[in-house]
Amino acid sequence: MEQSITLAHGSGGRLTAELVRRVFITAFDDEAGRRLDDSALLPPGDGRVALTTDAFVVKPRFFPGGDIGKLSICGTVNDLAVCGAKPIALTAAFVIEEGTQVAELAAIAASMAATARAAGVRLVAGDTKVVERGSGDGVYLATSGYGLVPDGVELGAERIAAGDVVLVSGDVGRHEAAVLLARGEIGFAAALESDCGLLHGTVAAVLAAGGGGVKCCRDATRGGVATVLCEYAETSGLEVSLEGAQIPVREEVGTVCEMLGLDPYYLACEGRLVAVVGPEAADAVEAALRGLEPSAARIGCIGGERGGRVWLRTGVGGRRVLDRLTGGQLPRIC
Amino acid sequence: MEQSITLAHGSGGRLTAELVRRVFITAFDDEAGRRLDDSALLPPGDGRVALTTDAFVVKPRFFPGGDIGKLSICGTVNDLAVCGAKPIALTAAFVIEEGTQVAELAAIAASMAATARAAGVRLVAGDTKVVERGSGDGVYLATSGYGLVPDGVELGAERIAAGDVVLVSGDVGRHEAAVLLARGEIGFAAALESDCGLLHGTVAAVLAAGGGGVKCCRDATRGGVATVLCEYAETSGLEVSLEGAQIPVREEVGTVCEMLGLDPYYLACEGRLVAVVGPEAADAVEAALRGLEPSAARIGCIGGERGGRVWLRTGVGGRRVLDRLTGGQLPRIC
C-alpha cells in the first residue's frame, strides 16, 4: 500500500477500499463496520434516543495528552454522557488532504479505537473523502454519536433553580493551553497535558451520588466554563454567582493566560463537566467528583434574582459579569 | 450580522452562537436543535437501529440539479433507506473556510432543510468549525443519519442467489457528468442535471412490489453502478452478468464519457439504486421502478458459477470484466 494519500484514495475504487480496510476497519474492528454496508445495523434498545455530532479541526493534530482521534471520541461520548445517555455507537467521517501520510491516519484510527474501547462504545460506520493538496490541512474529522437515555434520567438547564450549587469536575482550561503550547508559537515551555478525556464515568458517578438532585451537566469545550455558565444563565433566566478563588486553574495555565492576555474561564477543556445540583445533593456530588479527580470543586451557586447573567467574584473582592466571548480566543483548538 | 465568515465565528463565543441561531437553527427549525443541548433527544422507537455517516466535499458546491446541502441529505437518507430503514433524524457538522459568505451558508442550510422536509426526517443536531483561509475550500460537510429497520425487513448482499435479477432505478452516471460540466473545464456545454435525489420512496416501492423477494439494494454513488456490483459479487462470491445494451445512459453522459475517456458505469449517481431481486419478484419490481422513473431497467442477472466477478456483455457481442477502479476517476464529485 502506498505511504501517502493520493486523490485516487478518494475515488471510491480499489484504493479507497484498501485504505478503508487496512487503516480503519482493522483499527475499529467492529462487526457492523466490517460489513461495509451503507448503514450499520444495531439491535433495538430501551430509552430515549440521544444523537450528537461534532467536527474536529485541531492544530496540531497530536498534542500532549491526546490527538485529533482521541479528541473526537471523547468529545462525542461526552456530549452523549452529559445528557444522561449511555453512549452506544459512533460514526466517523474523514476529510483527508492529498499527501497525508497513511501512517498518520493509522495512528489516528488506533487512538480512536482505543478511546472507543475505553468508553465501551462501538465505531460502526465511516466515510473518507480526499481533497487536493492546499484545500485542507491534513485531516479533518466529524464524529457522531448514538446513545440511550434511561427512563427517569431528566437533565436540562430549565430545571435549574435558585439555591442550586455549581460544580466543576477538575481544573479548567488545560486543553486549550496545552494546544497553544504545542504549537510552539509562544516563548514558553511547560510540561502541560491536555485534560482530553472521557466523562461517561464522571456523569455516572454524579448521577449515582446526586440522584434526582442533579439538574444538568455540560462538558466545557469551546468557550470554556464561562460559556457553559452563560448558556445555563440564559436558559434558566437566573443569575449565576461564581467564586473566582474556588475555580481550579493550574499554575501553567495561569501563566499562559497572563502571557497572552487570555481569561482561563474561557479556555476550552475536553474532559471537564460543569454540573448544577440541588443544595441537598451538593455534598455527595462534590465528594464523588473529588474521588475521581482531586481538583474538582464547588465553584458557585444560582441566585434568586432573574437576569440571566454570570457574575464572577474576583480575588480582590470585585465583581464582574462573564459574558459570552465576542471575538474569538484562538482558532482550531478542537 | 457580518456578511463573511471570520475565525471568530468558530470560537464558541457570541459570533458562533449568532451564526448557529441565524443560519442553521432558523433553517432547520427543529425543536431538538433549538434546545442547543449537547445531544438531541428523540422518543424511543421500534426496530433495529441503522446508523450511517458521509462527508461531502463536492466542487462546485452548487451544480445543476443540486448543491452540497441537498446532496448531503439525499446521501444520508439514501444510505439509511437502501438498508431497509425508515430514516428518522440527521445531524450535520460543518468545516467552514474563513471568508465564506454567510449568504452561501444560508442557501446551503435552506437546501438541506427543504430536502429533509421532503424526506420526512428531522435535522436534530449540528456543529460548526471554522478554519483559516487556505486551509479549506469553502464548506465541507459531514452528515450522519439514524433510522429504524422494521421487523421482517432483511436486506443484504449475502442473500443474493443464482438466478436473481439486477435492476437499476434510472439512467446512470448523471451526477458525476453534471458536476464535471459545471466545473466548466471541458469544452462542452449541455443542459444536464444531476440525478441528485431521495430514494426512500423508491426503496418503499421496491419492497412493496417485491416483498421478501428483494435481496438487497444499494445506492450507486462514488464508483458508480460498477462498484456497487463489484461489492455484490465479492460479498456473494457469485458472478454478475450485465447486458451493456440494457444499462440506461443519457446521450449527454455518453458524450462526456467519450470526450474524457471515462466509463459511464463507474460515474457517480446520487439518486439511483441497484436492486437484486429473486426472479419471481423481478417483473413486479421492474414495473414499480418504471412507474417512478421511466428510464429504470433490468440490467443483468446473477450466474450460477462462483468467482465473485462482474461481467459486461458489450454492444458488439464481446464480454469483459468490470473490476474495481484502481486509479481515481475524478476527485471531489460528492
Side-chain angles (χ1 to χ4, degrees), chain A residues 7-17 21 35-45 47-57 59 79-80 82-83 89-95 124-132 134-137 140 142 144 146 149 155-158 217-219 222-223 227 234 323-329 331-332 334, chain B residues 7-17 21 35-45 47-57 59 79-80 82-83 89-95 124-132 134-137 140 142 144 146 149 155-158 217-219 222-223 227 234 323-329 331-332 334:
Chain A
L7 287 169
H9 281 109
S11 68
R14 186 178 296 284
L15 287 175
T16 304
R21 286 216 169 81
R35 288 180 53 92
L36 288 173
D37 285 339
D38 289 305
S39 300
L41 294 194
L42 305 178
R48 284 155 296 161
V49 171
L51 297 177
T52 187
T53 193
D54 269 307
F56 294 90
V57 299
K59 183 180 180 176
D79 279 346
L80 293 172
V82 295
C83 293
L90 309 183
T91 65
F94 295 80
V95 176
V124 297
D127 187 38
T128 56
K129 294 284 155 65
V130 178
V131 296
E132 316 89 320
S135 289
D137 188 8
Y140 298 143
S144 299
Y146 160 76
V149 183
L155 298 177
E158 63 282 349
C217 291
R218 186 160 270 195
D219 55 333
R222 259 188 312 183
T227 299
E234 287 166 18
D323 208 346
R324 281 178 186 260
L325 286 177
T326 17
Q329 302 224 131
R332 298 187 55 186
C334 59
Chain B
L7 288 170
H9 281 109
S11 68
R14 186 178 297 282
L15 287 174
T16 304
R21 286 217 169 80
R35 288 178 54 90
L36 288 172
D37 285 339
D38 289 305
S39 300
L41 294 193
L42 305 177
R48 283 154 296 162
V49 171
L51 297 177
T52 187
T53 192
D54 269 307
F56 294 90
V57 299
K59 185 178 178 175
D79 279 347
L80 293 172
V82 295
C83 294
L90 309 183
T91 66
F94 296 80
V95 176
V124 297
D127 187 37
T128 56
K129 294 284 154 67
V130 178
V131 296
E132 316 89 318
S135 289
D137 188 8
Y140 298 143
S144 299
Y146 160 77
V149 182
L155 299 177
E158 62 282 349
C217 291
R218 186 161 270 195
D219 56 332
R222 259 188 311 183
T227 299
E234 287 166 19
D323 208 346
R324 280 178 187 261
L325 287 178
T326 19
Q329 303 225 134
R332 298 187 55 186
C334 59

Side-chain angles (χ1 to χ4, degrees), chain A residues 167-169 246 284-298:
Chain A
L167 301 110
V168 66
S169 69
Q246 305 302 316
V285 170
E286 186 178 0
L289 287 174
R290 289 240 169 115
L292 293 171
E293 164 57 51
S295 64
R298 187 188 294 226

Side-chain angles (χ1 to χ4, degrees), chain B residues 23 36 46 72 97 101 170 176 183 190 266 289 295:
Chain B
V23 172
L36 288 172
D46 287 334
S72 70
E97 188 188 13
Q101 295 302 298
E176 188 158 343
R183 288 189 192 157
Y266 289 95
L289 287 173
S295 64

Side-chain angles (χ1 to χ4, degrees), chain A residues 140-202:
Chain A
Y140 298 143
L141 179 46
T143 43
S144 299
Y146 160 76
L148 290 170
V149 183
D151 287 343
V153 173
E154 293 290 346
L155 298 177
E158 63 282 349
R159 290 190 55 217
I160 295 174
D164 285 351
V165 173
V166 181
L167 301 110
V168 66
S169 69
D171 65 293
V172 307
R174 194 136 48 92
H175 172 71
E176 188 159 343
V179 168
L180 291 179
L181 285 173
R183 286 188 193 159
E185 291 166 5
I186 48 178
F188 170 65
L192 188 64
E193 286 206 342
S194 165
D195 51 42
C196 179
L198 293 162
L199 287 171
H200 63 296
T202 310

